[in-house]
Amino acid sequence: MTIDLFITCLNDAMFPRTGEATVKLLERLGHEVRFNEAQTCCGQMHFNSGYQEDALRLVRHFVETFRDAEVVVAPSGSCVGMVRDLYPRAAEWAGDEELLAEVNALAPRVFELSEFLVRHLGVEDVGAYYPHRVTYHQTCHAMRILRVGDAPLRLLRNVRGLKLAELPAVEQCCGFGGTFSVKNPETSTAMLADKVQSVLSTRAEACTAGDNSCLMHIGGGLSRLQAGTRTVHLAEILASTEAEVFA
Amino acid sequence: MSAGGIVPRQSFQEAARVTLANAQMRRNLGHATTTIREKRLRAVSELPNWEELRDEGAALKDHVLANLGDYLLDLEASVKRRGGQVHWARDAAEARGIIADIAASHGAREVIKVKSITTDEIELNAGLAERGIHAIETDLAELIVQLAEDRPSHILVPAIHRNRAEIRELFRRKLGAEGLTDEPKQLAEAARLYLREKFLTTKVAVSGANFAVAESGTVCIVESEGNGRMCLTMPEVLISVMGLEKVLPTWQDMAVFLRLLPRSSTAERMNPYTSFWSGVTPGDGPREFHLVLLDNGRTDVLADEVGRQTLRCIRCSACLNVCPVYERAGGHAYGSVYPGPIGAILTPQLLHLEDKNANTLPWASSLCGACYDACPVKINIPEVLLYLRGKITEEKPLSAEAIAFKTAAWVMSEPHRFEGAIKLARMGQGPLVRNGAIHALPGMLGGWTESRDLPPIAAQSFREWWRKRPAPEMRGTDGDAQTSEGEPIAPQREDGVPL
């Protein structure tokens, strides 16, 4: 299958290895991977902060970029959630019928990586090797907007060498919430403190998730504590093999 | 006017700074919400058709809202037919005036109250006090809040932020209950002794309402302590206040909500006391019944197509109990009698998006979506939050933040501008990066680094890596030669520890 990657602005600028891992993984599974260089950002940050007109520019840009894609896959539940759940709202509220029709045609073909692998391709064992104790954080948008369910866990359980440690209060938000972490830093920090404590209680070497925004938040807290536990994107674990350690 | 009401005195951020520092409250709240969250999940999972029931509840409420005027007129006619009187209150002041006039016309010095969140919305106690009338709260938690001269912090459990030891102290001080332990039974008994005398001697009662049936003029409250039944039957005069949105067309509709409400709110299959009353009955119960229908901004919420779903709310408080923001910041941070996720959308709308403090509430959410999943009438709270953020932001086109977002949208709508910005940021971040992380950000973003580090912009962006990839036919099985860090891939961690 020919897969169009949506790498997301955060991954492009700050976590390129997640994108690289996604490419490796999908190619290893035998797919042709394309990266349309016209892509930028999904507009979630703007939309969620109340700048809906500005977000619309980015919605239109996304639609133009990926209009002809067979499927679009992104290593981010949050950005895919924006496309699938909120692009229709953005178009509706702007009263743009034409955009709404385009969005409705494109959005169902946009997938988060783990749901694409498990639900769409029917693959649960990607042949990965990662000999570490890992805990998995269920990110809110993947869980409640995309309903990816246990797709990431199914993938992780099939990673050779990996010991999966259950994260307490896994359904609780880490407190990132985009600009929420900047606009309400004290409340966000209180949420993060509990999440970090949960992560540390698992005695895992690494905390993984399908979204670098949440991991950036959790990792930022762990780093400030010099906790000795790191964060790693799910794609990087899945891309790792005995021959090539990615994460 | 007293504390309470729906007008916050501070922004959410300012108020939360204070409440977050209260360690006792954090513990009390964390314990209480965790317990009720788990109980609710169990109670809900017992019903195989819970999702259909939610859909039914949402559809019924939407039907009522679409025909609200008609059903309210039906309700008014039915109540009158049963010998009751109906009063329409445009706003809080009008409602306070109506109730105080009725109480004063009976020479009341005291009134007893039950189920009073709507009366808190209109600041009834203070309004009555101005006329020399003392209001006595009879819900145990409301009584605790009143005796402590505190404010409610939860829709259903107003004293959720207090623990038993605090309550024992309060009862000792205010009710003269000596030798009290902090056993729940003893605490309840102390309150019971005090309240029983009030039930038997007070002539006027004020109640809220959970529902009202248009076809029969019947008002309903759902409660756990039995104080409601006392308030509704013992006094000579009963005044019930309800928001316009609480009307239901028929008795049949009640069945849906009596299944949705207790499981969502107290995680019970059915609450202990459900009371219905219709007008007046000679020789039984109150001799006078007044129903006050309160607008106070509701018709404006109704007029808004996206915001309207807020009025489906049946005040079960399920959204509060699952909200991670509420759990940490507590109800007082929202500055309104309606805290939590529902308060974050209801309060600013009731105030017509004109109050600068209330307008910070739509940002008091990480958009995790737990509230939407828990809501028994499927109010899409995250959607309304975003919608309100948009409406409020439109009003501030020239703020520094707005300019930053506009610039960012301009940059990101063109890939070459976006790439240029990444390169610029990479160069500019130099002085901020220490040991591979950013520990302090300037300006608007400084809130982040108060407690968190930030990784820097990568040495090589994904798109730069992509461009440098050899063509497919040149690639071996292990793909490209270099990672984004510019290092050959080797089996070791970034910190050099072999994996």
Side-chain angles (χ1 to χ4, degrees), chain A residues 49-103:
Chain A
S49 303
Y51 297 93
Q52 289 161 7
E53 260 181 53
D54 301 307
L56 267 179
R57 282 177 85 137
L58 300 170
V59 173
R60 291 200 176 95
H61 182 74
F62 184 95
V63 169
E64 276 163 32
T65 305
F66 291 109
R67 187 180 280 138
D68 300 322
E70 186 184 350
V71 289
V72 181
V73 173
S76 163
S78 175
C79 302
V80 173
M82 171 70 193
V83 174
R84 290 232 294 264
D85 187 49
L86 296 176
Y87 273 23
R89 292 292 95 68
E92 257 170 48
W93 294 348
D96 191 332
E97 291 292 327
E98 208 177 311
L99 181 64
L100 181 62
E102 286 230 57
V103 161

Side-chain angles (χ1 to χ4, degrees), chain A residues 131-199:
Chain A
H132 300 283
R133 188 177 172 84
V134 172
T135 193
Y136 170 70
H137 167 64
Q138 177 86 274
T139 65
C140 298
H141 289 181
M143 169 170 48
R144 300 202 183 89
I145 293 177
L146 302 178
R147 309 275 176 202
V148 303
D150 64 352
L153 290 170
R154 281 165 185 265
L155 291 161
L156 283 170
R157 284 192 200 111
N158 283 309
V159 174
R160 272 165 284 291
L162 187 144
K163 278 190 223 63
L164 196 58
E166 197 181 328
L167 186 67
V170 67
E171 81 294 344
Q172 284 258 326
C173 176
C174 72
F176 175 52
T179 42
F180 172 72
S181 59
V182 176
K183 289 199 180 230
N184 287 291
E186 293 88 356
T187 309
S188 167
T189 294
M191 291 159 71
L192 176 63
D194 291 345
K195 184 57 74 182
V196 163
Q197 206 167 25
S198 294
V199 169

Side-chain angles (χ1 to χ4, degrees), chain B residues 115-165:
Chain B
K115 276 271 159 186
S116 49
I117 192 163
T118 312
T119 63
D120 288 339
E121 175 188 331
I122 61 173
E123 299 188 295
L124 178 65
N125 292 9
L128 289 172
E130 278 178 3
R131 306 273 292 265
I133 303 166
H134 178 56
I136 299 156
E137 300 291 349
T138 69
D139 291 308
L140 181 55
E142 287 280 4
L143 176 67
I144 292 164
V145 168
Q146 185 178 36
L147 292 175
E149 293 167 43
D150 196 356
R151 290 176 297 138
S153 72
H154 189 280
I155 290 175
L156 192 82
V157 200
I160 195 168
H161 55 292
R162 300 260 171 186
N163 66 15
R164 283 187 262 157

